[in-house]
Amino acid sequence: MDPLEVKPLGPRRRGRRRLRTPNPEVRRRIVDAAGELILEHGVPSLRIDEVAELAGCSVGTLYLYFDGKDEIFTALVVEQTAQLRARLNAASDGAPDHARAGQRRLAAYLDFVEQTERGFLHFVRAGSMETTAGDLNTWAFEQHANDLRPILKELLGPGPIDPVELELLVQSNLAVTQHLASYWLEHRDQLTRQQLEQFLGKVTAAVLLALRSS
Amino acid sequence: MDPLEVKPLGPRRRGRRRLRTPNPEVRRRIVDAAGELILEHGVPSLRIDEVAELAGCSVGTLYLYFDGKDEIFTALVVEQTAQLRARLNAASDGAPDHARAGQRRLAAYLDFVEQTERGFLHFVRAGSMETTAGDLNTWAFEQHANDLRPILKELLGPGPIDPVELELLVQSNLAVTQHLASYWLEHRDQLTRQQLEQFLGKVTAAVLLALRSS
């Protein structure tokens, strides 16, 4: 599904007017304003009037572009997923081998987590929303899975690979990385980034070895 | 924190009347009705008037017991977490060793997932809510972590254990199990329960071995 077609499910606003020539600049300002407010305060306290104010438009104008909070949030998740994928792929593209490609992706991911901080938690926690592409978090996971799958496949070696095991490996790797990154953000006093990276490196190597030799 | 004190954050309904002698039977019926509706339709479409109708009370009465959807949902998660813990602990208590205790917990967890099915997904996805005990999903994870930690500690063997590694191991195990269980529910046509159990068994053994020898 084209990412631009990912929209929240649920009742649409009735009688919504649509613009014949929407201004991409105004849309951009609305999405950016919502992103800024979410990074600071989270999704549950996001208010449309505050988004409009920060975007420098009226609430009426905002509703010409978006059906409401859920649609703005969905647009943000779709954009941020694309940006994060681009960052991770840029980090791994020049790597001399697949093992280092994996390490560089992890480092780039943790850079992102460190930069967005509580915003990362806000996004992960609000991301379960029914959309035209299914659950939004699951959709985002699937995007990252597409990038990670070929790398993990190579790391499993040249032998025959059980496609179910490969998929479970990809899903596990994404789930552990996301969860431990959140855990790290909430326990910065108990856990350094280095400890987290070492743990993930050790665990990934052990799992790859076990699946390779089976 | 006493689980009964876990309440959603956010503005309370103003001027809410409180019962001097609440009827535990009525409270029970309201929580059960909400649970039934969520299992079927998920949290976003839960409506207070439908909960009251199914519970056989008026909306006014319901509001004497709960501030609204979020408070009922929080009460449900707190209860279900306690019930699931009791089931998992009952499953592992009689095990002859810690390895089998771990296996039996996993089997009991997958039984639970299989029985609740889409309800499990609805709960996992709606569970991120700010409460007096922090994020509700994180709180529930912490409850299960308390039960799993001593088992994984034993499985790491008698040598010195890095407490940070132990915690990351507990968190990883919970995150992977929950995520792959959700993945399994959504891909029942591609993946048997046996394949899932084998994968989790193999991966857990490999990780334990790697952390033990390090």
Side-chain angles (χ1 to χ4, degrees):
Chain A
M1 171 177 273
D2 177 353
L4 289 175
E5 296 304 316
V6 180
K7 302 279 181 198
L9 287 186
R12 323 295 293 160
R13 288 180 74 239
R14 266 172 286 180
R16 170 176 163 194
R17 286 194 299 136
R18 301 221 165 234
L19 290 164
R20 227 171 290 172
T21 50
N23 182 344
E25 157 57 20
V26 174
R27 187 184 185 282
R28 178 78 271 136
R29 287 212 315 270
I30 295 170
V31 172
D32 287 347
E36 214 173 295
L37 291 168
I38 289 173
L39 286 188
E40 242 172 289
H41 307 294
V43 175
S45 28
L46 189 68
R47 280 172 44 191
I48 283 294
D49 57 334
E50 289 176 356
V51 176
E53 195 189 330
L54 189 60
C57 69
S58 70
V59 169
T61 300
L62 185 148
Y63 277 123
L64 293 173
Y65 285 83
F66 292 98
D67 250 10
K69 263 176 74 159
D70 285 358
E71 194 172 320
I72 306 178
F73 179 69
T74 303
L76 256 171
V77 170
V78 168
E79 276 186 19
Q80 295 212 344
T81 302
Q83 283 167 16
L84 179 56
R85 283 183 76 182
R87 271 176 81 158
L88 299 187
N89 290 336
S92 59
D93 271 352
D97 55 50
H98 291 96
R100 263 166 294 186
Q103 285 160 6
R104 289 189 189 174
R105 288 179 76 81
L106 175 61
Y109 181 76
L110 294 179
D111 286 346
F112 170 81
V113 169
E114 227 171 351
Q115 282 155 19
T116 36
E117 253 201 83
R118 290 212 69 79
F120 175 80
L121 293 176
H122 289 319
F123 270 97
V124 168
R125 288 176 180 170
S128 277
M129 181 186 294
E130 277 302 308
T131 73
T132 48
D135 178 71
L136 187 56
N137 262 347
T138 307
W139 174 84
F141 247 65
E142 212 40 63
Q143 308 303 303
H144 292 298
N146 289 334
D147 300 330
L148 188 59
R149 194 177 296 113
I151 296 176
L152 290 176
K153 188 165 185 286
E154 286 293 334
L155 286 173
L156 281 176
I161 289 163
D162 175 350
V164 167
E165 270 198 353
L166 175 61
E167 210 48 46
L168 291 175
L169 173 65
V170 172
Q171 293 289 329
S172 306
N173 190 295
L174 290 170
V176 166
T177 308
Q178 187 187 66
H179 180 73
L180 292 191
S182 304
Y183 182 85
W184 172 50
L185 282 181
E186 298 218 284
H187 300 83
R188 293 289 284 265
D189 53 332
Q190 293 161 40
L191 171 69
T192 65
R193 172 171 166 158
Q194 206 196 356
Q195 285 176 303
L196 175 59
E197 280 188 277
Q198 276 175 356
F199 179 85
L200 283 170
K202 208 189 296 186
V203 158
T204 307
V207 168
L208 283 170
L209 191 66
L211 296 180
R212 214 179 286 151
S213 61
S214 68
Chain B
M1 172 179 272
D2 177 352
L4 289 175
E5 296 305 315
V6 180
K7 301 279 180 198
L9 288 187
R12 323 296 293 162
R13 288 182 72 239
R14 265 173 284 180
R16 168 176 164 195
R17 286 195 299 138
R18 301 222 164 231
L19 290 164
R20 227 172 289 173
T21 51
N23 181 344
E25 156 62 17
V26 174
R27 187 184 185 281
R28 178 79 271 136
R29 288 211 314 269
I30 294 169
V31 172
D32 288 346
E36 214 173 295
L37 291 169
I38 290 172
L39 286 188
E40 244 173 288
H41 308 294
V43 175
S45 27
L46 189 68
R47 280 172 45 192
I48 283 294
D49 56 334
E50 290 176 354
V51 175
E53 196 190 330
L54 189 60
C57 69
S58 69
V59 170
T61 300
L62 185 149
Y63 277 123
L64 293 172
Y65 285 83
F66 293 98
D67 250 10
K69 264 174 73 158
D70 284 359
E71 194 173 319
I72 306 178
F73 178 70
T74 303
L76 256 170
V77 170
V78 168
E79 277 187 18
Q80 297 212 343
T81 302
Q83 283 166 15
L84 179 56
R85 284 182 75 182
R87 271 175 79 158
L88 300 185
N89 291 337
S92 60
D93 271 351
D97 55 50
H98 291 96
R100 263 165 295 184
Q103 285 160 7
R104 290 189 189 176
R105 289 178 76 82
L106 175 61
Y109 181 76
L110 295 179
D111 286 345
F112 169 82
V113 170
E114 228 170 350
Q115 283 155 18
T116 36
E117 252 200 88
R118 291 212 68 79
F120 175 80
L121 293 175
H122 289 319
F123 270 95
V124 167
R125 288 174 180 172
S128 276
M129 179 187 295
E130 277 302 307
T131 72
T132 48
D135 178 70
L136 187 56
N137 263 346
T138 306
W139 174 85
F141 247 64
E142 212 39 64
Q143 308 304 303
H144 292 298
N146 290 334
D147 300 329
L148 189 59
R149 193 176 296 111
I151 296 176
L152 289 176
K153 188 164 186 283
E154 286 295 333
L155 286 172
L156 281 176
I161 290 164
D162 177 349
V164 167
E165 270 199 351
L166 175 61
E167 211 46 47
L168 291 176
L169 173 65
V170 173
Q171 293 289 329
S172 305
N173 190 296
L174 289 169
V176 166
T177 308
Q178 186 186 66
H179 181 72
L180 292 191
S182 305
Y183 182 84
W184 172 50
L185 282 181
E186 299 219 284
H187 299 82
R188 292 288 284 265
D189 52 332
Q190 293 161 40
L191 172 66
T192 64
R193 172 170 167 161
Q194 207 197 354
Q195 285 177 303
L196 175 60
E197 280 187 277
Q198 276 175 357
F199 179 85
L200 283 170
K202 209 189 293 187
V203 159
T204 308
V207 168
L208 283 169
L209 191 66
L211 296 180
R212 214 180 285 152
S213 60
S214 69

